[in-house]
Amino acid sequence: MTEVRYNWTKEEIAEIYHTPLLDLVYQAATIHRENKDYSEVQISSLISIKTGGCSEDCAYCPQAARYNTGVNVHAIMPKDEVIAAAEKAKAGGASRLCMGAAWREVRDNRDFDKVIEMVKAVNSLDMEVCCTLGMLTESQAQRLADAGLYAYNHNLDTSEEDYKRIITTRTYDERLDTLKHVRKAKISVCSGGIIGLGETVADRISMLKTLSNLPKHPESVPINALVPVAGTPLADQPRVSVWDMVRMIATTRIIMPKTVVRLSAGRTEMSVVEQAFCFMAGANSIFAGEKLLTTPNPSFDTDMAMFDLLGLSPRKAFKNGRPNEVKEVEVAG
Ligand code: SAM
Ligand code: DTB
Ligand code: SF4
């Protein structure tokens, strides 16, 4: 059985990352196959409950108010629209719904009260509910947990060293504090990053070190390929190589063996063969549904055809327990 470690060094992670590609995939696939459910893929569907107009300056993000990206700015969505979207996602095979808001942080106001009602409503559809709302205090995390929130997504995005190049309106430590608050409230932690921001390989390794040295590994780690959006400072970044995606996924799988690794943004640019490589390298989750938050994503039907072809099956909701009783990732799956 693979040992779960929390003391990976940058040197060790770099050595894994730079392993010849086929050996790396073989090693990651071997670890993945120790998990009896390796052919199951967890499907999350995203919904943007509050779009655009964000005060932050994240260089990759189409929803930052300061960039002209043509995104349709929307106030918070009514609860019945969220429920309709959740039902559609469930019918498409999704076991998790992730509600995203273009906020720097949550404020204790009527919009947050509405999110709490949405969490309760989606939970009652027997779906795992996730939110990504920006920074949270301890009491806000607890309120979400009490409403039945299953998971919270809060990405580190890049390394601590590279953070200021990408975002100047908040610090890495603030990001880590929110992760602590989420953990303390016993909500499942989802935290990963983006590649293709112009970061170095050392930055990727540093981010993976931070994630794998947390007191507990995140239950999910999304690996996003930058979706370059016109109007953002990173609009002209070249498309990230699929081999970099494979290396990142395989390294994540090896150093966090029990974690769900999500092949996240960037799939519209990838062929089925390229995605199959990512699943082989240990990815066991995707975002499904025509849209991510504001950019396109493959449709449920396209993904189901891919699952049939590759012999993958969607994972059922609540496999690791109900909200507040999520099994720790150290427990063998
Ligand atoms: N505002 C909240 C926050 O920043 O945590 C939640 C929503 S924010 C859009 C969620 C995540 O989406 C970001 O942390 C980033 O990882 C990802 N993201 C945003 N724009 C992206 C892009 N163009 N390409 C890839 N990932 C992106
Ligand atoms: C994550 O890691 N990726 C998702 C989700 N968590 C919130 C978001 C991707 C967004 C891609 C750009 C867009 O659609 O706006
Ligand atoms: Fe705002 Fe989140 Fe986009 Fe940053 S990533 S600009 S915090 S919506």
Side-chain angles (χ1 to χ4, degrees):
M1 191 48 67
T2 320
E3 182 202 357
V4 178
R5 286 181 46 195
Y6 301 88
N7 59 353
W8 291 99
T9 64
K10 284 187 188 171
E11 292 70 29
E12 288 172 317
I13 300 172
E15 196 181 324
I16 296 170
Y17 185 94
H18 291 294
T19 304
L21 192 103
L22 295 180
D23 289 342
L24 174 63
V25 172
Y26 180 80
Q27 280 175 30
T30 305
I31 287 178
H32 193 34
R33 262 147 214 266
E34 285 177 6
N35 171 352
K36 62 182 168 18
D37 301 321
Y38 64 84
S39 62
E40 266 184 14
V41 174
Q42 186 243 348
I43 304 184
S44 280
S45 185
L46 280 165
I47 171 171
S48 184
I49 57 167
K50 187 268 168 187
T51 308
C54 182
S55 62
E56 298 283 78
D57 69 352
C58 311
Y60 48 76
C61 188
Q63 303 199 65
R66 64 192 77 200
Y67 313 135
N68 265 324
T69 61
V71 101
N72 272 330
V73 179
H74 278 291
I76 196 155
M77 198 182 252
K79 188 172 83 178
D80 47 351
E81 280 182 32
V82 174
I83 295 171
E87 281 169 342
K88 190 173 162 215
K90 191 177 174 184
S95 56
R96 180 177 294 189
L97 185 80
C98 178
M99 301 189 277
W103 288 330
R104 175 177 200 273
E105 77 250 298
V106 167
R107 306 233 166 115
D108 294 303
N109 59 16
R110 291 203 352 236
D111 279 354
F112 187 38
D113 297 342
K114 287 183 191 162
V115 174
I116 294 292
E117 291 311 309
M118 290 173 194
V119 169
K120 288 182 185 161
V122 177
N123 203 15
S124 71
L125 296 176
D126 236 22
M127 290 184 92
E128 297 172 3
V129 201
C130 174
C131 279
T132 182
L133 313 168
M135 293 181 283
L136 291 180
T137 62
E138 228 178 282
S139 65
Q140 289 164 343
Q142 191 54 52
R143 223 184 133 195
L144 285 163
D146 293 343
L149 189 77
Y150 188 87
Y152 196 79
N153 166 252
H154 200 63
N155 291 336
L156 294 181
D157 288 323
T158 184
S159 68
E160 182 165 14
E161 301 78 18
D162 192 36
Y163 209 61
K164 279 193 233 35
R165 187 179 63 88
I166 301 296
I167 301 147
T168 70
T169 46
R170 61 170 183 257
T171 65
Y172 216 62
D173 278 345
E174 286 179 297
R175 224 49 196 168
L176 291 169
D177 281 346
T178 294
L179 292 180
K180 270 189 217 144
H181 300 154
V182 172
R183 197 36 106 200
K184 192 161 180 216
K186 297 197 165 62
I187 296 168
S188 173
V189 172
C190 172
S191 185
I194 310 179
I195 63 170
L197 303 171
E199 74 288 349
T200 62
V201 169
D203 289 317
R204 294 177 187 169
I205 287 160
S206 174
M207 180 184 82
L208 289 179
K209 176 179 188 267
T210 305
L211 290 169
S212 64
N213 280 239
L214 288 171
K216 281 179 191 163
H217 293 167
E219 280 77 8
S220 332
V221 173
I223 305 292
N224 295 275
L226 174 73
V227 181
V229 178
T232 63
L234 299 180
D236 298 325
Q237 277 295 313
R239 191 197 149 192
V240 9
S241 152
V242 70
W243 303 119
D244 286 17
M245 237 6 219
V246 169
R247 279 192 188 280
M248 213 42 204
I249 288 170
T251 307
T252 308
R253 167 56 60 228
I254 292 170
I255 66 173
M256 292 180 268
K258 304 292 178 203
T259 286
V260 170
V261 181
R262 187 171 304 118
L263 166 58
S264 304
R267 289 195 306 115
T268 43
E269 304 300 320
M270 293 170 78
S271 67
V272 170
V273 175
E274 290 172 337
Q275 294 181 64
F277 240 100
C278 294
F279 295 125
M280 191 73 195
N284 59 345
S285 175
I286 56 168
F287 282 122
E290 269 126 47
K291 236 186 191 186
L292 289 165
L293 289 170
T294 65
T295 63
N297 194 47
S299 70
F300 281 117
D301 291 351
T302 309
D303 281 336
M304 282 309 122
M306 174 173 75
F307 275 35
D308 280 349
L309 185 74
L310 301 179
L312 299 172
S313 55
R315 179 170 118 161
K316 298 238 167 8
F318 303 115
K319 217 178 148 175
N320 286 342
R322 297 267 154 183
N324 299 325
E325 55 175 60
V326 177
K327 278 188 216 148
E328 291 171 3
V329 283
E330 296 89 324
V331 179

